[in-house]
């Protein structure tokens, strides 16, 4: 079997030339088959695009003798002619000259024609990309991953691959997965471990990203991150991908500009390059999706300080599950009220109290707040979190002490402030949260090929 171009590529070429095509070869999985007296109709899909290709297979062609085994889910290879379809429903169809059964699918194939719940499909995550909805989700994931790189490369940012195994806790929250080769009996000490000390899966590439920004000016990293937080919500995963730009000679205002620009860029990408996938999300997931995305893409984001946000929340008179007061973290219900009900568009909240934010954020002149910012979007809440970084060595060293961090462990990070320190800023965008936003999928598990969440590490 020669290497095949996917159906999408083939059809693209045909559409470009807008003429029939002899002796094409396609392969894919059968969605449905209908038999007539002397021929069969097969709806074939290879996942490269949403659309199926209708195959008309005459009973006289080679391979047709296996037609009874060409059931939903079976894989076949078909040769034939692509001709304008005489029937409604598709522009082109393939008149098969031969058909070959590659792999049959017995009757217990779990993806039958009726709709399946997202919960059921998660339990067969190895098969769910064969459905229209998940095919669309994962094509969108690929498209946006590419767009992330394009966004930064167009702006001359340098991609840095930061490590996945690390010895420092970027967020200082201690929610890390330990990496060890020590035996289970715990008799050995840390010094005997693989790296001679404790090591973890990274929660963020930021600290290493900062070192490269303080040399190459504009960088970004885009990779997997891991959090052992036991929050079993629809927006948290134990393994997720983060996009983290870090920009030297940049302050909080520039940081917010870049974050908002990236969100808008990716929303436009989803609107422009979806080839019918967006219609699937509108049909099965979220009726108002396109309208909301167009709304977001065409307007500036709201910007309010944390202090204003708290005032608005208090004045709202709404009864929230979690208390609202200056000095407390904004919970997801508060974030969603701000963006969905009050501003009715994305909101960037900035300048949070220093006590509730990590050690690396730059202290403002008021001595109370740090230059933190979160971008909140309707339906999700926080999609981006970032800050200007503390570039003053003495203040940073003071922060290590206040946050109970070992200054020696972070010595290499402090060095950036010792040798040619510069103002710099960055943020992290949760890639899955962005995907939830542009697809309307309500659960993070449904935009990750194989989700890792508390109590679940299947496949
Ligand atoms: O706000 P966070 O924790 O910020 C950082 O990690 C910084 N070091 C980023 C930086 O400044 N370079 O996480 C950033 C984003 C969040 O806004 C959210 O979108 C996403 O990462 N995120 C998660 N997504 C899925 N599952 C989780 N458990 C997530 N935790 C954070
Ligand atoms: Mg955050």
């Amino acid at each position: 079997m020669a290497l095949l171009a996917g159906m999408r590529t083939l059809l693209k070429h045909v559409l470009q030339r807008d003429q029939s095509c002899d002796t094409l070869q396609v392969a894919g999985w059968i969605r449905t088959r209908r038999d007539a007296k002397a021929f069969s109709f097969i709806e074939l899909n290879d996942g490269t695009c949403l659309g199926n290709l209708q195959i008309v297979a005459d009973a006289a062609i080679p391979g047709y003798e296996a037609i009874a085994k060409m059931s939903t889910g079976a894989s076949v290879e078909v040769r034939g002619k692509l001709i304008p379809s005489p029937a409604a429903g598709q522009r082109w169809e393939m008149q098969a000259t031969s058909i070959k059964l590659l792999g049959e699918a017995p009757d217990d194939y779990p993806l039958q024609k009726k709709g399946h719940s997202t919960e059921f499909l998660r339990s067969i995550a190895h098969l769910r990309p064969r459905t229209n909805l998940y095919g669309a989700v994962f094509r969108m994931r690929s498209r946006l991953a590419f767009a992330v790189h394009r966004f930064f490369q167009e702006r001359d940012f340098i991609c840095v691959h930061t490590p996945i195994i690390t010895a420092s806790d970027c967020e200082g929250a201690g929610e890390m997965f330990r990496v060890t080769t020590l035996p289970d009996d715990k008799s050995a000490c840390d010094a005997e471990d693989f790296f001679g000390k404790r090591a973890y899966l990274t929660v963020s590439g930021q600290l290493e990203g900062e070192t490269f920004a303080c040399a190459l000016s504009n960088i970004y990293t885009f990779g997997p991150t891991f959090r052992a937080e036991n929050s079993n919500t629809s927006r948290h995963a134990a393994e997720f991908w983060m996009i983290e730009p870090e920009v030297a000679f940049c302050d909080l205002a520039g940081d917010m500009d870049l974050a908002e620009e990236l969100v808008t860029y990716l929303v436009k990408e989803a609107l422009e390059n979806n080839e019918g996938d967006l219609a699937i999300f509108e049909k099965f997931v979220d009726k108002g999706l396109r309208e909301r995305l167009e709304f977001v893409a065409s307007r500036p984001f709201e910007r309010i300080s944390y202090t204003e946000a708290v005032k608005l929340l208090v004045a709202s008179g709404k009864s929230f599950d979690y208390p609202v007061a200056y000095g407390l973290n904004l919970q997801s219900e508060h974030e969603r009220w701000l963006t969905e009900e009050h501003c009715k568009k994305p909101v960037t909240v900035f300048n949070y109290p220093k006590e509730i934010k990590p050690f690396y954020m730059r202290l403002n002149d008021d001595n109370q707040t740090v230059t933190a910012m979160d971008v909140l979007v309707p339906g999700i809440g926080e999609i981006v979190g970032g800050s200007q970084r503390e570039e003053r060595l003495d203040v940073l060293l003071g922060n290590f002490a206040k946050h109970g961090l070992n200054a020696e462990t972070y010595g290499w990070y402090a060095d950036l402030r010792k040798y040619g320190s510069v103002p710099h800023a960055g943020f992290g965008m949760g890639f899955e949260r962005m995907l939830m936003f542009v697809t309307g999928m309500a659960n993070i598990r449904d935009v990750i090929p194989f989700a890792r969440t508390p109590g679940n590490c299947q496949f």
Side-chain angles (χ1 to χ4, degrees), residues 112-164:
Q112 295 302 330
K113 203 156 181 215
K114 70 177 175 85
H116 298 291
S117 72
T118 50
E119 288 79 12
F120 170 70
L121 290 169
R122 266 175 233 148
S123 75
I124 51 162
H126 57 305
L127 294 172
R128 69 178 180 168
R130 290 195 194 177
T131 63
N132 280 340
L133 179 59
Y134 286 88
V137 166
F138 293 114
R139 280 189 299 271
M140 183 67 90
R141 189 174 170 122
S142 162
R143 189 78 221 179
L144 286 204
F146 178 58
V148 163
H149 284 289
R150 177 162 17 80
F151 174 87
F152 287 111
Q153 298 287 335
E154 278 172 1
R155 286 160 182 73
D156 292 323
F157 279 59
I158 290 148
C159 179
V160 177
H161 295 138
T162 51
I164 287 171

Side-chain angles (χ1 to χ4, degrees), residues 406-423:
N406 183 342
E408 246 170 65
T409 311
Y410 292 90
W412 57 275
Y413 181 74
D415 272 357
L416 299 175
R417 280 73 180 164
K418 189 173 163 194
Y419 306 117
S421 188
V422 295

